[in-house]
């Protein structure tokens, strides 16, 4: 690990507090105004938090939990925890009280940082289940209950009392004892099935992933502005949108919430962002909805511009050929069409990084066409997370890029992707059995079926456990089909099912805006959304849309029947993980009766 620039995140922060002292490190919105902390000021706040944690009795190796949405306090807490050589245990802000209690108990955290009264109330409701918790530290002021003491981060940090020189020296001396192999964090996988597992990641794991990930992108200037909106409790945002940014002296602005991202983009005008495919799906859908409303001339101009853009992108970036006259055509298309689209992203956005789930090839191409290259990568919580990443010089649409430097990949006999590298976890916390199942001979078994082409680009086919095996013995990957369905202007989300069954069925959620527009145009009579999705004309429309997708597939992969439900799958509803992956078992159990009915109709039931 000697090639890495730092042995720990605290060492990095101290160095950058001097190197980029007056530059903005983080910013967040409070009371309608953006508040910024310079690198020097951030470091001071982190040292104060560390001082408070030491006074609260936190010892090296202790676990300290953070139960919060993204905000400045999250970063200050996490860095303060590391400064005293403790271990950060993030909890998704969307977790229920019971889920949070599991993580707290399993990690044996005695102190929990929370964002608001809402998270505090969750913990208070399960106080009897978390008896070892001694202290709650909140980022907002409110009255707590004597059964669960609460202080603010300001109170813990004793913000009114400047750090003395001796206090700073004592904290820095402690942080200098951190080795690269010390645990930085335990992240409990959200998981699409089963009980969460605590992934143990070291300082070296996360520094290596951030360092080699940025090298794969060709480096980074300190002038970059990140807008952070994915949960910091997820390793993708933490490494790519937070650690990597601070490592290079960049500015990280924390979005107010997922709902405010569009508004915050225009305020912050970021140069780069990390996202999951759901955002790009919504961007793509919204743009094409607007095109649908245009007059015929503008609509034709848009489609011509997109076609020119597609040819230009493939010529310049994929085939690496001179663009010639095509470059002039693209510049004209850009001036007439694409520039206005980019202004909706603040006008400075240079690129996106996409991870967490497969990004549809058509949507990825479109983002490049409009002048916002979107670098799709692949990784797991267990790999800190990045394993592979496309970049401006090496891109293959449909692939997740080539492995990062110092990272090896290979395929097992059944096509499962195996990974070895400096970013691979130490193991699962207090779970040697699962660690042994997942690590073999130094290789991590990813659980993903993949292909690797002659140039070393990796293509993810599907999750090994999610491959559908029909009763006819056909192996079918559901994700590509679901992605194809989601490209339809009327379909928001899709879930394909058919394991051990004679044919495939789907649960679809509609694009409600489009559906309501259709109902208005055709004067459909309905009582509520449940009534509308069961309307015969609506069902006929969705049958037609599925038929268009089926027409591209072999007969055994076609969807024979479907269920249309009146709302999107959601994290709150339990159907999605915090990174927007489908929880297949939950969706099946939730809609079991509707799914089973599709197989019972026409006497074609059972699992035969």
């Amino acid at each position: 690990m000697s090639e890495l620039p730092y042995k720990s995140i605290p060492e990095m922060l101290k160095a950058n507090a001097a190197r980029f002292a007056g530059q903005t490190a983080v910013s967040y919105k409070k009371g309608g105004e953006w508040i910024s902390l310079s690198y020097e000021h951030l470091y001071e706040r982190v040292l104060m938090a560390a001082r408070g944690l030491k006074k609260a009795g936190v010892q090296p190796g202790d676990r300290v939990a953070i139960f919060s949405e993204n905000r400045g306090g999250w970063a200050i807490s996490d860095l303060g925890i590391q400064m005293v050589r403790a271990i950060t245990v993030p909890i998704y802000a969307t977790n229920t009280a019971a889920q949070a209690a599991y993580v707290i108990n399993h990690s044996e955290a005695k102190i929990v940082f929370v964002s608001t009264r809402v998270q505090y109330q969750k913990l208070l409701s399960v106080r009897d289940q978390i008896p070892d918790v001694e202290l709650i530290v909140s980022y907002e002021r409110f009255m707590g209950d004597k059964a669960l003491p609460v202080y603010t981060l300001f109170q813990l940090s004793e913000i009114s009392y400047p750090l003395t020189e001796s206090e700073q020296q004592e904290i820095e001396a402690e942080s200098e004892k951190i080795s690269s192999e010390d645990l930085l964090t335990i992240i409990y996988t959200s998981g699409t099935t089963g009980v969460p597992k605590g992934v143990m990641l070291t300082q070296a794991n996360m520094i290596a992933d951030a360092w080699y990930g940025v090298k794969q992108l060709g480096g980074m200037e300190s002038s970059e502005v990140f807008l952070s909106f994915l949960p910091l409790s997820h390793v993708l945002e933490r490494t790519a949108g937070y650690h990597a940014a601070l490592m290079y002296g960049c500015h990280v602005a924390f979005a107010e919430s997922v709902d405010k991202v569009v508004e915050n983009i225009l305020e912050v005008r970021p140069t780069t962002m990390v996202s999951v495919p759901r955002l790009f799906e919504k961007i793509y859908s919204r743009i094409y909805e607007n095109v649908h409303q245009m007059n015929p001339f503008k609509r034709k101009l848009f489609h011509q511009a997109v076609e020119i853009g597609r040819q230009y992108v493939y010529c310049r970036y994929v085939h690496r050929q001179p663009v010639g006259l095509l470059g002039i055509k693209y510049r004209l298309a850009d001036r007439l069409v694409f520039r206005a689209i980019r202004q909706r992203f603040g006008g400075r956005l240079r690129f996106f990084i996409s991870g967490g789930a497969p990004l549809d090839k058509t949507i990825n191409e479109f983002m490049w066409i409009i002048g916002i290259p979107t670098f799709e990568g692949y990784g797991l919580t267990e790999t800190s997370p990045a394993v592979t990443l496309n970049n401006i010089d090496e891109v293959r649409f449909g692939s997740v890029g080539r492995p990062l430097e110092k990272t090896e990949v290979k395929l097992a006999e059944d096509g499962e992707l195996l990974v070895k590298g400096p970013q691979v976890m130490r193991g699962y916390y207090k779970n040697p059995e699962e660690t042994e199942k997942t690590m073999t001979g130094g290789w991590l078994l990813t659980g993903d079926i993949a292909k690797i082409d002659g140039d070393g680009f990796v293509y993810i086919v599907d999750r090994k456990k999610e491959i559908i095996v029909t009763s006819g013995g056909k192996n079918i990957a559901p994700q590509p089909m679901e992605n194809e369905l989601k490209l339809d202007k009327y379909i928001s989300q899709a879930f394909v099912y058919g394991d051990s069954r004679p044919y495939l069925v789907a649960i679809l959620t509609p694009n409600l805006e489009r559906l309501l527009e259709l109902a208005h145009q055709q004067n459909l009579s309905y009582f509520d959304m449940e009534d509308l999705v069961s309307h015969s004309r609506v069902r006929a429309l969705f049958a037609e849309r599925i038929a268009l997708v089926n027409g591209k597939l072999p007969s055994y992969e076609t969807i024979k029947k479907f269920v249309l439900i009146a709302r999107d799958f959601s994290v709150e509803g339990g159907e999605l993980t915090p990174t927007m992956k489908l929880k297949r078992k939950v969706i099946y159990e939730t809609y079991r009766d509707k799914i089973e009915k599709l197989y019972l109709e026409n006497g074609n039931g059972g699992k035969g």
Side-chain angles (χ1 to χ4, degrees):
M1 294 297 171
S2 57
E3 295 178 24
L4 298 177
Y6 307 103
K7 68 175 182 178
S8 72
I9 296 295
E11 181 184 71
M12 174 199 81
L13 184 66
K14 180 183 178 183
N16 285 352
R19 184 181 175 193
F20 303 109
Q23 290 182 213
T24 301
V26 299
S27 59
Y28 52 93
K29 208 168 184 184
K30 190 171 184 179
E33 299 291 329
W34 284 94
I35 296 171
S36 297
L37 299 180
S38 68
Y39 271 84
E40 187 175 40
H41 192 187
L42 173 65
Y43 186 53
E44 181 185 23
R45 290 287 306 276
V46 168
L47 289 170
M48 287 178 161
R51 174 178 66 182
L53 287 167
K54 282 179 71 71
K55 287 184 178 181
V58 175
Q59 299 293 315
D62 283 356
R63 277 74 60 203
V64 180
I66 303 178
F67 191 16
S68 168
E69 305 82 8
N70 288 15
R71 53 202 301 160
W74 207 109
I76 292 166
S77 305
D78 174 42
L79 295 166
I81 292 164
Q82 293 182 55
M83 288 294 292
V84 297
R85 297 171 59 203
I87 299 163
T88 301
V89 180
I91 304 173
Y92 285 103
T94 51
N95 274 13
T96 64
Q99 289 169 330
Y102 175 84
V103 171
I104 290 166
N105 286 333
H106 192 267
S107 66
E108 301 173 81
K110 292 185 173 63
I111 294 178
V112 184
F113 287 88
V114 299
S115 52
T116 63
R117 181 191 293 274
V118 172
Q119 308 298 18
Y120 174 78
Q121 290 290 348
K122 288 182 188 177
L123 299 184
L124 187 60
S125 72
V126 290
R127 180 60 175 124
D128 59 331
Q129 297 174 39
I130 49 173
D132 294 332
V133 171
E134 298 170 355
L135 176 66
I136 302 295
V137 182
S138 174
Y139 303 140
E140 294 183 5
R141 185 182 295 276
F142 55 82
M143 289 293 293
D145 189 287
K146 63 181 180 181
L148 190 59
V150 59
Y151 292 87
T152 66
L153 177 58
F154 277 9
Q155 288 171 325
L156 178 81
S157 303
E158 295 180 296
I159 204 83
S160 301
Y161 297 93
L163 277 164
T164 65
E165 192 175 332
S166 63
E167 284 175 333
Q168 181 165 339
Q169 288 174 350
E170 183 184 347
I171 295 164
E172 288 178 340
E174 188 69 42
S175 71
E176 284 166 9
K177 296 176 185 175
I178 300 172
S179 84
S180 60
E181 294 309 311
D182 282 349
L183 281 189
L184 185 159
T185 190
I186 301 171
I187 302 176
Y188 284 78
T189 56
S190 52
T192 53
T193 59
V195 174
K197 298 189 289 283
V199 176
M200 295 188 289
L201 298 176
T202 66
Q203 294 281 344
N205 287 153
M206 299 195 80
I207 289 171
D209 206 62
W211 179 250
Y212 292 127
V214 172
K215 282 187 77 174
Q216 187 95 329
L217 293 175
M220 190 174 291
E221 298 295 326
S222 63
S223 56
E224 298 287 355
V225 179
F226 285 69
L227 180 64
S228 171
F229 79 96
L230 293 182
L232 283 167
S233 43
H234 184 256
V235 70
L236 173 60
E237 185 67 36
R238 192 137 163 237
T239 300
Y242 166 47
H243 285 156
L246 295 182
M247 186 177 288
Y248 284 84
C250 304
H251 169 194
V252 183
F254 293 111
E256 293 174 86
S257 67
V258 172
D259 297 335
K260 293 286 187 76
V261 167
V262 174
E263 179 184 321
N264 293 160
I265 282 175
L266 294 174
E267 294 170 333
V268 172
R269 300 181 62 234
T271 61
T272 186
M273 289 177 65
V274 180
S275 185
V276 289
R278 189 68 182 138
L279 175 68
F280 306 116
E281 292 164 5
K282 287 185 174 181
I283 290 168
Y284 182 85
S285 175
R286 182 56 58 90
I287 289 171
Y288 273 87
E289 281 174 30
N290 291 336
V291 171
H292 177 69
Q293 305 292 337
M294 291 176 180
N295 63 49
F297 173 76
K298 285 188 174 181
R299 197 157 57 236
K300 184 178 179 182
L301 176 65
F302 175 84
H303 290 303
Q304 286 177 337
V306 168
E307 184 50 39
I308 290 167
R310 181 174 288 108
Q311 293 172 25
Y312 173 81
V313 165
Y314 269 85
C315 181
R316 179 176 177 184
Y317 296 110
V318 179
H319 304 307
R320 316 298 299 175
Q321 295 172 348
V323 292
L325 181 62
L326 189 56
I328 297 171
K329 288 182 178 179
Y330 180 77
R331 283 196 293 275
L332 179 61
D334 186 69
R335 189 161 71 244
L336 294 175
V337 178
F338 305 140
R339 190 178 297 172
I341 295 174
R342 289 198 302 276
Q343 287 303 317
R344 299 179 197 174
F345 298 93
R348 297 196 304 179
L349 196 57
R350 297 195 309 111
F351 64 88
F352 271 111
I353 294 171
S354 177
L359 175 60
D360 183 85
K361 180 182 175 183
T362 302
I363 294 175
N364 196 358
E365 288 174 354
F366 180 76
M367 296 302 296
W368 282 70
I369 287 166
I370 65 174
I372 308 177
T374 299
F375 305 130
E376 186 175 12
Y378 165 80
L380 308 162
T381 304
E382 289 85 344
T383 55
S384 308
V387 172
T388 64
L389 187 62
N390 279 288
N391 61 51
I392 201 76
D393 297 316
E394 298 176 328
V395 62
R396 293 286 187 280
F397 294 115
S399 89
V400 290
R402 284 172 158 165
L404 304 188
E405 192 176 319
K406 308 294 183 186
T407 302
E408 299 175 65
V409 296
K410 68 178 183 179
L411 300 180
E413 286 186 12
D414 62 357
E416 182 176 3
L417 186 68
L418 309 183
V419 177
K420 182 187 285 186
Q423 71 276 63
V424 174
M425 68 170 182
R426 179 183 293 178
Y428 295 116
Y429 186 58
K430 296 198 295 193
N431 200 340
E433 298 84 5
E434 282 298 321
T435 301
E436 197 172 322
K437 284 183 195 174
T438 308
M439 309 278 288
T440 176
W443 292 89
L444 176 80
L445 283 62
T446 65
D448 287 304
I449 302 297
K451 295 185 295 184
I452 303 174
D453 71 14
D455 294 321
F457 285 88
V458 177
Y459 297 76
I460 302 300
V461 176
D462 216 319
R463 290 291 297 166
K464 185 174 178 179
K465 292 179 181 176
E466 290 173 4
I467 296 291
I468 293 170
V469 183
T470 66
S471 59
K474 298 291 186 182
N475 285 28
I476 301 168
Q479 281 186 346
M481 301 170 66
E482 290 161 352
N483 286 338
E484 186 71 25
L485 286 164
K486 288 189 292 185
L487 286 179
D488 189 280
K489 64 183 181 181
Y490 287 107
I491 298 172
S492 177
Q493 292 168 314
F495 166 79
V496 174
Y497 179 81
D499 205 39
S500 301
R501 300 304 180 97
Y503 52 83
L504 300 183
V505 299
I507 296 178
L508 306 176
T509 73
N511 180 324
L512 293 178
E513 288 181 42
R514 273 286 169 87
L515 189 56
L516 290 169
E517 178 189 316
L518 177 82
H520 177 70
Q521 289 172 349
Q522 297 194 6
N523 294 315
L524 300 184
S525 176
Y526 62 95
F527 176 68
D528 57 16
M529 292 309 300
E530 292 284 352
D531 194 30
L532 179 59
V533 298
S534 60
H535 196 288
S536 59
R537 282 202 214 168
V538 171
R539 288 193 58 78
L541 169 72
F542 278 81
E544 290 171 13
R545 313 312 289 191
I546 289 175
L548 291 173
V549 174
N550 281 346
K552 305 173 188 177
L553 301 168
S555 60
Y556 66 85
E557 284 191 16
T558 56
I559 294 161
K560 300 296 192 288
K561 299 177 183 181
F562 68 95
V563 171
L564 191 59
I565 60 175
R567 66 170 185 86
D568 265 351
F569 301 137
S570 67
V571 175
E572 294 75 19
E575 302 105 337
L576 300 179
T577 71
T579 50
M580 312 308 282
K581 295 190 190 81
L582 296 178
K583 289 188 174 181
R584 294 185 179 275
K585 284 190 175 180
V586 172
I587 293 172
Y588 173 73
E589 290 299 332
T590 302
Y591 300 102
R592 177 200 287 265
D593 292 346
K594 293 180 184 291
I595 292 170
E596 294 302 328
K597 190 176 178 184
L598 298 178
Y599 290 107
L600 291 170
E601 289 168 358
N602 304 323
N604 200 356
K607 296 196 174 189

